Amino acid sequence: MSKTVEFLFDFGSPASYLAYRRLPELRTRTGARIDYVPMLLGAVFKATGNASPAAVPAKARWTGVDFGRWAKRHGTEFNFNPHFPINTLHLMRGATGLAEDTRFLSYCDAVFDGMWREPKNLGDPAELAPVLRRAGLETEDFKALVEREEVKARLKAVTEHAIERGVFGAPTFFVGEEMFFGQDRMDFVEEALVA
């Protein structure tokens, strides 16, 4: 039986985007099942005392260069978003609400691309609308989805569970109970999947 890798992510994380783009190849090589787990990175940072690299100027400069190196190594188109950081609460609620919907991966593709491939201000409804349409969603349906109480509660619960498991940033991967942090640890994830 093939193993499962849990991929905990937030659209506001450029490292999550880089990892997301590599997951199909990982699945092909290992036969693993990918469990996509949207979480709210801001809440993780607050609970763990961690902070975005954007909050540390020297680290922000370095990570911007380093992400470019990783993107080039894996042939991923990457452009730093000039509107970063963007509040991803509604975007993550959207992913949570669509988790069992056939449009889930189309939504993730469109939002990640709108954040890190063809950067847009996804906090602006006018810029978000065409991204949603690409995923097969209309703006009014999206607004209704992200305001549903069960969607809000599920995102909160998943984020709290991630914190309880030791998550402090994104992306985080789990193979069984073994945790791996960062898009630059995917070699270790793959080793765990084929062990």
Side-chain angles (χ1 to χ4, degrees):
M1 186 166 84
S2 65
K3 291 187 179 178
T4 297
V5 57
E6 295 173 74
F7 170 62
L8 285 73
F9 71 96
D10 186 303
F11 294 120
S13 160
S16 288
Y17 164 72
L18 293 173
Y20 176 79
R21 288 291 169 217
R22 292 176 58 200
L23 285 172
E25 290 179 5
L26 178 75
R27 182 177 51 237
T28 298
R29 285 193 304 272
T30 64
R33 179 179 172 272
I34 311 294
D35 185 7
Y36 296 87
V37 183
M39 66 174 185
L40 197 57
L41 186 56
V44 169
F45 282 163
K46 185 175 180 181
T48 62
N50 198 0
S52 167
V56 183
K59 191 173 184 181
R61 285 189 298 275
W62 180 83
T63 54
V65 171
D66 196 55
F67 290 149
R69 290 179 185 132
W70 281 100
K72 183 178 179 183
R73 172 169 286 176
H74 294 285
T76 303
E77 188 175 345
F78 173 76
N79 295 291
F80 200 82
N81 194 316
H83 307 288
F84 181 80
I86 294 170
N87 184 331
T88 60
L89 176 63
H90 287 93
L91 300 174
M92 299 317 298
R93 284 183 186 167
T96 299
L98 291 169
E100 304 299 322
D101 190 292
T102 57
R103 297 171 291 182
F104 175 76
L105 287 178
S106 295
Y107 174 78
C108 289
D109 285 345
V111 174
F112 267 131
D113 284 354
M115 192 71 81
W116 303 113
R117 186 169 154 267
E118 298 170 351
K120 296 171 180 43
N121 181 359
L122 298 185
D124 178 346
E127 291 199 45
L128 179 60
V131 172
L132 295 174
R133 280 194 295 278
R134 178 181 156 202
L137 293 161
E138 292 302 324
T139 304
E140 291 307 312
D141 295 333
F142 179 77
K143 285 180 185 175
L145 175 71
V146 301
E147 290 303 324
R148 287 179 19 207
E149 291 304 320
E150 66 271 21
V151 170
K152 294 178 185 180
R154 190 175 337 132
L155 178 58
K156 182 178 179 185
V158 167
T159 302
E160 288 172 352
H161 182 60
I163 294 163
E164 289 166 7
R165 294 174 80 187
V167 172
F168 56 87
T172 297
F173 305 88
F174 284 94
V175 178
E177 290 307 309
E178 193 170 6
M179 185 177 99
F180 304 89
F181 168 71
Q183 60 84 28
D184 54 348
R185 298 301 189 269
M186 290 182 74
D187 289 349
F188 292 117
V189 172
E190 185 162 348
E191 287 174 12
L193 288 169
V194 299

